[in-house]
Amino acid sequence: PRTKRSSSEVAASLSVEDALLRELRNFRDRTARKNKWKKYMVLQNAVIQRIVDIRPITLHELGSIKGVGDSKVDRFGSDILSILERYRD
C-alpha cells in the first residue's frame, strides 16, 4: 500500500527530480556542443523526462525507453547511467 508522504518529502523528491532533469539536460547540451550537433540529436526533452521517470539501472533498460535506440545507448549510455547513479535513493 502507498503511504502518504509529507509535503517536505514531496518537495525533496521534486527537487531531486528537478536536479536530475537539469543534469541530464546539461549533459545533452555539452555533448551537442562538443559534437556540433543540435540538442535534439543527442536527446529530446521528452526522452530526458522518460529517463527521469523510469530511472533505468542497466543499458538494456535504458535502451528499452522510447527514443533511446542502440546508437544512443552505445554513445551515451554509460554517461547517462552514471548520472542516474548519483541520484539513486
Side-chain angles (χ1 to χ4, degrees), residues 2 6 11 13-15 19-21 23 25-26 30 34 38-39 47 56-57 61 64 71 73 78 82 85 87-88:
R2 237 182 130 125
S6 72
S13 72
L14 286 177
S15 61
L20 181 53
L21 274 169
E23 189 158 352
R25 284 189 180 124
N26 287 339
R30 282 191 315 273
K34 185 175 80 175
K38 300 282 185 191
K39 293 177 187 181
V47 175
I57 296 173
E61 289 174 352
S64 70
S71 67
V73 170
S78 297
S82 62
E85 179 66 31
Y87 289 87
R88 254 187 249 309

Side-chain angles (χ1 to χ4, degrees), residues 69-85:
D70 291 340
S71 67
K72 288 185 180 172
V73 170
D74 291 343
R75 285 185 184 150
F76 318 123
S78 297
D79 293 327
I80 292 169
L81 291 182
S82 62
I83 291 168
L84 291 168
E85 179 66 31

